[in-house]
Amino acid sequence: LKVVPASGGTTADVTIPDLATTSPLTVTTTTNGYEVTGTTRPGATITVTNANGDPIKGTDGNPLTTTAGTDGKIDFTIPKASVNPGDVVTVQPAGA
């Protein structure tokens, strides 16, 4: 996936592992960052890491994680302050 900042500029690559989701992820640029939606295993814990495998931080300064709903849907935002255009991030459910 390519993430394009709303103000233009360089795109950011998002690397999705083969087993990460059961449907493609959608990335939308918002005023707060990059909204990621998709579907994976119900109840799976999702982590977001950079190209070095380090956790991407949420707005609270903690590693960005989310849990898929009982229907498997995920919806979270990667804060703009946590990534730069051109960064590669990995979105992966636990156990993938």
Side-chain angles (χ1 to χ4, degrees):
L1 297 173
K2 293 271 187 197
V3 177
V4 181
S7 60
T10 307
T11 61
D13 291 322
V14 178
T15 304
I16 310 300
D18 290 338
L19 299 176
T21 64
T22 55
S23 70
L25 292 179
T26 301
V27 179
T28 306
T29 302
T30 69
T31 56
N32 296 323
Y34 305 100
E35 182 179 15
V36 180
T37 59
T39 307
T40 189
R41 292 183 307 277
T45 299
I46 310 300
T47 59
V48 184
T49 56
N50 64 21
N52 295 326
D54 300 321
I56 299 289
K57 304 290 179 153
T59 55
D60 60 2
N62 292 315
L64 182 60
T65 62
T66 191
T67 302
T70 57
D71 56 1
K73 291 185 180 181
I74 57 172
D75 184 350
F76 64 93
T77 299
I78 300 172
K80 282 185 180 179
S82 297
V83 293
N84 295 307
D87 287 354
V88 175
V89 300
T90 300
V91 177
Q92 183 169 356

